[in-house]
Amino acid sequence: MKRIVVLISGRGSNLEAIVHAASAERWDARVVAVLSNRAEAAGLAFATAQGITTQVLDHQAHASREAFDATLAEAIDAHAPDLVVLAGFMRILGEAFVRRYEGRLLNIHPSLLPAFTGLHTHRRAIEAGCRVAGATVHFVTPALDHGPIVAQAVVPVRDGDTPEALSARVLAAEHRLYPMAVRWAVDGRLRIEGQRVLQLDGAPQHLFHDEAP
Ligand code: GRF
């Protein structure tokens, strides 16, 4: 059975979606540990209730990014993961950390990358007049929000949308997109070729259109 370690900082709704999908779809993989840099992250309670090992690593207790990254890597490696999944993990990871997990480190970003890297993606998409928005699952590389794209979900931007309304629509799509992409990864179905991610079998279902309200 493949081993997944999930890193969170907050709510953990993507973590929940992945844990539920793994059990409902009987994946040959399971989430073995959830690590958070914030003790108050709501996702920790969910993980504990599921019987998943949790650990809090306070970045503020470390003198530098490199020191925190090293502690984090040690905690991750203790679980010997096949895949490390960032699910709302709000720390930027340094180059050495990212290289250590190259090809087995996934992130979800709430925009259609390469548009809107960074924060406040929904507000910025509305202000830019975008008619569609969405989320992107990508392999993590040292350049923030720029790694090879595994899958994207597209949702409409509606007239009168607030950032909150758009965020809820994108999040619903994330909850379908991320488990799908994580499953492809743990099933060994993905191959990275430069900036492109290819699926080893079947049609490349990299675009996932969601018409949620
Ligand atoms: C999601 O919008 C994700 O795209 C972003 O952070 C949010 C995490 O939400 N990276 P949750 O903690 O999974 O509920």
Side-chain angles (χ1 to χ4, degrees):
M1 225 200 230
K2 295 278 179 64
R3 303 168 63 81
I4 304 168
V5 168
V6 181
L7 272 51
I8 64 169
S9 296
R11 181 175 51 191
S13 68
N14 278 289
L15 163 71
E16 283 193 41
I18 291 164
V19 169
H20 287 318
S23 105
E25 298 169 8
R26 298 174 178 282
W27 294 3
D28 189 26
R30 65 192 176 91
V31 175
V32 293
V34 173
L35 311 184
S36 172
N37 64 313
R38 294 167 59 105
E40 64 274 26
L44 289 171
F46 166 79
T48 302
Q50 298 289 313
I52 299 170
T53 302
T54 64
Q55 189 176 351
V56 176
L57 300 150
D58 182 5
H59 60 272
Q60 287 170 336
H62 292 77
S64 65
R65 185 184 306 289
E66 290 68 33
F68 174 67
D69 283 2
T71 304
L72 186 60
E74 202 176 308
I76 291 170
D77 290 351
H79 299 285
D82 298 283
L83 188 70
V84 179
V85 171
L86 307 180
F89 186 67
M90 300 302 285
R91 299 295 303 167
I92 292 174
L93 297 162
E95 175 152 9
F97 180 97
V98 170
R99 294 269 180 239
R100 183 186 189 97
Y101 299 103
E102 202 156 21
R104 54 189 179 115
L105 182 60
L106 285 181
N107 182 44
I108 189 162
H109 180 76
S111 80
L112 293 173
L113 291 174
F116 308 121
T117 60
L119 298 174
H120 309 300
T121 54
H122 306 303
R123 177 169 56 70
R124 289 159 62 206
I126 291 169
E127 283 173 5
C130 296
R131 306 313 310 188
V132 294
T136 302
V137 176
H138 63 96
F139 284 104
V140 178
T141 57
L144 185 68
D145 297 334
H146 274 92
I149 292 172
V150 176
Q152 292 184 304
V154 181
V155 304
V157 179
R158 301 204 195 284
D159 292 338
D161 256 351
T162 59
E164 293 71 31
L166 180 56
S167 165
R169 191 176 310 124
V170 171
L171 192 66
E174 288 184 34
H175 295 161
R176 296 167 66 184
L177 181 75
Y178 212 1
M180 180 179 80
V182 169
R183 186 175 190 182
W184 289 345
V186 289
D187 281 352
R189 289 171 59 183
L190 302 177
R191 190 176 71 227
I192 304 171
E193 279 191 5
Q195 265 298 120
R196 295 192 68 80
V197 179
L198 307 176
Q199 271 211 64
L200 292 186
D201 55 1
Q205 295 223 331
H206 294 170
L207 191 68
F208 176 76
H209 189 79
D210 193 300
E211 279 291 351

